[in-house]
Amino acid sequence: MSSSPTPDNSLNETSTTAKPPTHLILQMALRDVSVLFRTPWIIITRALSFIVQVFVFANLISGLIHIQGINYFEYYAVGSVVTTIASISFVIGYDIFEEAEEGVLDYLLTLPISRRQLIIGRALGGAMRAIVYTIPMFVIVAVFWGFSQPLPILTALLSLFLLAFGVTGMSITVAVSVKNANRFDVVLALLELAVSRASTALYPIGFIPVYVAVFAPFSPVSFAADSAYSSLVMLTLDLPAIAGLVAFVVIFLGLGATFYFRRLEGGVYA
Amino acid sequence: MSNARLIPLIIERDVRILFSDAFLVAIMFANFSIDLFVTAATFGRLVTGQGANYFLYIAPGSNLITAMVAAFQSGRDVWREKYIKDLTSYLLTLPVQRPVLAFSRVLGGVVRSVIATFPGTLVICYLYGILFTPKIFVAYLIVGLFSLGIVGLSMAISAFSSSIEMWVTVRSAIQLYLSFLSALFYPVSVFPSFLAPIVSSNPMTWAIQAFRQLSPISFAQVPAGDSLGSIATLAGPSLAFALLGTICYIWYSKL
């Protein structure tokens, strides 16, 4: 069997135990990055969806929308990158749910890594792979609309990373809270739809109906979209939006870690 | 038992599967509500100069998208029966001819889809002011006919997808085609000429046009008159896809 212990494996385990915590967290995160890229179908689907949404839907509908001071095609394209990163960040929840169902979690718990490092590594991995995955789309948008200044690009990427980190925490929270597979699928899909649509990512706040506009500015997707749009298009720094994103990360990473930790220690997956 | 008595039993089984978790039906309605009262309502305020209320123009799309999701759920259940639950052998032992079983599964999916969109169709009929007119039955006929094609398509995908990832990918590609390369958001004339044949052959284009023609409001670039022409055009691809789904189901059952 490929998983049988070998002298080489034993050496690896010994050396892993001796590694510093940050290295172990990074190793855990890199595992999640490689897991996503082993499922090319997900990448193809999301990439196709992004391209059709931006270059067919946004391109055509922007011909029917005339807002003073805003190029809606450009607005939608930046928003699409934000909603895509949110969408891909949710995938970590599916992975964690599947691992629990298939028994892979038991294997992960036998690894020479503390629970805390495991949880932080998973959340970091979810965010890292979302960023890696979204960068080509970000580049397409940046090249198409001529966003070339390094500082605004870095600020926008930071906002995207914070969003991905927080959404990963949210996804982990749901994955370890819902026990039924079908329910988990639809709850996560609904949550993804709600945070993306009830936000300012795809349409300016002034046009959102009042019953949604009341809370849309507080959606994490809105924070990231507002920050990215301000940086790239208006060349300004939206500090309240970044502060909102940091708060979102702290809350959901904390919640995700707490729930995951409870499940690991004597919960249904133990 | 005669086939005529077996078909309702098979349909009933599929409907029971849908209601085995009523929560899922509620979530589908929640999805519809977000689509209609958030996305469609916002685009209704964004798009101007279309001659009529854009919200009402795209409103039936939210319901048809829910019908599409529900129809694909039927295909996914068929896929789970084969690859996860290993129920195919059991289903083949039932005292029913295979073509009848296959077509009944398609019909079961249509009934499930119409049930899942029942409240949504009522909402659209209310918005169009046809809630208390005979046109409401035409509205359900359109949803049923549209679902017939999508259930057939989803069952055909189930026959050829060996992994759930592949199934989800093909489903997503079809959903993109139905949503964005159709007249759901804009008239066919907006598309570049090379895309026009693809848009015109999209079942969503005819389903939504038929819905719009039920409304007393005259929308820009929607031909006036009753929906019968659009329904007849929709029937073509829907019946073809239903037949494809039936054939694929029979084929995959024999594997």
Side-chain angles (χ1 to χ4, degrees), chain A residues 67-108:
Chain A
I67 310 168
Q68 204 164 12
I70 293 180
N71 173 352
Y72 187 71
F73 189 15
E74 182 184 57
Y75 186 95
Y76 192 95
V78 174
S80 281
V81 176
V82 178
T83 55
T84 302
I85 201 163
S87 169
I88 209 77
S89 305
F90 272 108
V91 175
I92 189 84
Y94 293 101
D95 289 351
I96 285 175
F97 196 90
E98 259 182 37
E99 283 169 5
E101 277 200 325
E102 293 169 3
V104 180
L105 189 61
D106 297 332
Y107 154 74
L108 291 175

Side-chain angles (χ1 to χ4, degrees), chain A residues 39 41-42 44-45 48-50 52-53 56-58 60-61 64-67 72 76 98 180-183 185-187 189-190 193-194 197-199 202-204 206-212, chain B residues 21-24 27 30-32 34-39 41-43 45-50 54 73 76-77 80 163-166 168-169 172-173 176 180-181 185-187 190-192 195:
Chain A
T39 49
W41 294 112
I42 292 175
I44 293 166
T45 309
L48 196 66
S49 171
F50 173 81
V52 172
Q53 273 194 58
V56 178
F57 174 72
L60 294 177
I61 201 124
L64 308 175
I65 295 173
H66 309 286
I67 310 168
Y72 187 71
Y76 192 95
E98 259 182 37
N180 177 293
N182 273 340
R183 282 192 178 194
D185 269 2
V186 289
V187 167
L190 183 68
L193 190 73
R197 300 287 182 86
S199 75
L202 303 177
Y203 13 71
F207 294 88
I208 300 174
V210 66
Y211 49 85
V212 185
Chain B
D21 194 351
F23 178 77
L24 297 180
I27 289 283
N31 271 312
F32 161 78
I34 292 173
D35 257 344
L36 183 69
F37 296 113
V38 179
T39 310
T42 307
F43 276 112
R45 296 159 66 113
L46 271 167
V47 176
T48 49
Q50 285 301 293
Y54 188 72
Q73 195 66 33
R76 190 175 175 178
D77 284 348
R80 280 171 63 87
S163 71
I164 189 68
E165 284 84 8
M166 186 190 283
V168 169
T169 304
S172 301
L176 277 175
F180 295 117
L181 293 172
F185 293 103
Y186 16 64
V190 168
F191 286 90
L195 283 176

Side-chain angles (χ1 to χ4, degrees), chain B residues 10-32:
Chain B
I10 296 164
I11 293 173
E12 186 190 335
R13 176 183 172 272
D14 276 327
V15 173
R16 281 181 188 277
I17 292 172
L18 173 72
F19 282 103
S20 61
D21 194 351
F23 178 77
L24 297 180
V25 184
I27 289 283
M28 274 192 241
F29 184 69
N31 271 312
F32 161 78

